[in-house]
Amino acid sequence: MKAVQFTEYGGPEVLRVVDIEPPRPGPGEVRIAVRATGVNPSDWKRRVGLYRDVDPVAFPAGVGVEASGIVDDVGPGVSNVAVGEAVFGMGRGTVAEQAILTNWVRKPDAMSFAVAGGLSVIVETALRSLGDLGVERGQTLLVSGASGGIGSAVVQIARSRGIAVVGTAGERNQDYLRDLGATPTTYGPGLKERVHVLAPQGIDAALDVAGSGILPELIDIVGAASRVVSVADFSASHYGARFSAGPPREPDRVLTEAVRLWAGGHLRVNIDRLFPFARTAEAHEVSARGHVAGKLVITVP
């Protein structure tokens, strides 16, 4: 089968489409014929080597941690899904023609493979970070970097829980955030003053999704480092804030909740761009530049 791999840390040019043997599912795992797989900032950050101190890569390394597709093999002990069923979930080396999923859920018939392929990580990260923040109905949350896949999910899930959201994004994504239910503002100098005008009652908690060095400013806006969480800045603890990291907590529950949120109309996935399998390097470049409205997704023939 064909898969995207890299054999050294570096820029997008280290990604190669290679021919390898199909993986075999282990106990409690399934293999799928991949239809779509999401692009996440963690993909290119891992490729660059930003995680090498906490999660070193064993080369050659695959790319991707989520996907949708059709089950074509099941490992020992798997009884809740059969070959031929459509599923989505989390796994490893998912930018490939076939990939292993370690956690999965059946894909609703009305959900496209593209949406399903980009749903798992954003919902898991959104639920985890909102839980870490402890924000409740009636409170106000500030989300820095709100227009990307994770930010979009956080905004929508928070709004479904009765939490007001102020979100930062570039000029071109202001209407997009407004459509999701957030009160939008731009990032950059003067953020504290703009947020005060938009939320004069104050901000109860802040979430850093972009990892753009904004933690000191978020802490100043909120008034307490204990009420600031980052999913992108490893230096969070240096400022007294918290860094929210995986591995996924209760992944099966998360995937079931993802289906519930989507089916109930509480969460939509805006696919900013679709990339064919052979253009994975370009997808990484676009992700690294930021300014994405929603999710980038790679389709597999």
Side-chain angles (χ1 to χ4, degrees), residues 53-256:
D53 292 334
V54 294
D55 186 18
V57 167
F59 296 116
V63 179
V65 295
E66 63 179 345
S68 63
I70 305 296
V71 176
D72 67 6
D73 196 6
V74 299
V78 173
S79 59
N80 64 346
V81 72
V83 170
E85 291 189 285
V87 299
F88 71 91
M90 294 176 275
R92 57 184 182 268
T94 55
V95 186
E97 292 178 327
Q98 293 170 287
I100 299 297
L101 295 185
T102 52
N103 299 93
W104 62 88
V105 67
R106 286 182 178 83
K107 183 186 75 65
D109 291 341
M111 181 186 290
S112 70
F113 280 105
V115 166
L119 195 57
S120 302
V121 168
I122 61 173
V123 172
E124 192 281 325
T125 309
L127 292 175
R128 168 165 42 85
S129 57
L130 286 170
D132 289 344
L133 283 164
V135 281
E136 301 176 348
R137 179 176 296 274
Q139 294 187 317
T140 302
L141 172 68
L142 173 60
V143 180
S144 175
S147 67
I150 293 170
S152 297
V154 169
V155 168
Q156 293 176 83
I157 295 172
R159 294 298 297 127
S160 75
R161 296 178 177 182
I163 299 164
V165 180
V166 176
T168 71
E171 289 283 359
R172 69 174 184 151
N173 288 329
Q174 298 290 294
D175 287 340
Y176 171 71
L177 286 186
R178 191 174 290 108
D179 188 49
L180 294 182
T183 299
T185 188
T186 54
Y187 43 76
L191 177 62
K192 183 177 182 179
E193 291 73 24
R194 292 193 299 277
V195 169
H196 177 71
V197 171
L198 296 171
Q201 76 280 10
I203 298 294
D204 297 289
L207 175 64
D208 167 36
V209 177
S212 56
I214 199 174
L215 284 174
E217 191 168 7
L218 295 182
I219 293 169
D220 183 41
I221 291 171
V222 175
S226 62
R227 289 184 283 149
V228 176
V229 166
S230 177
V231 297
D233 191 333
F234 287 112
S235 71
S237 60
H238 173 74
Y239 299 100
R242 286 169 291 168
F243 181 73
S244 182
R249 306 167 192 170
E250 301 181 275
D252 292 330
R253 182 190 66 81
V254 166
L255 294 173
T256 300

Side-chain angles (χ1 to χ4, degrees), residues 3 46 63 172 274 298:
R46 182 169 287 107
V63 179
R172 69 174 184 151
L274 284 170
I298 293 168

Side-chain angles (χ1 to χ4, degrees), residues 265-290:
H266 303 298
L267 177 65
R268 64 180 174 88
V269 179
N270 182 66
I271 299 177
D272 187 294
R273 289 179 64 179
L274 284 170
F275 294 86
F277 180 73
R279 290 169 56 193
T280 297
E282 182 183 349
H284 275 215
E285 287 185 283
V286 173
S287 176
R289 287 199 297 266

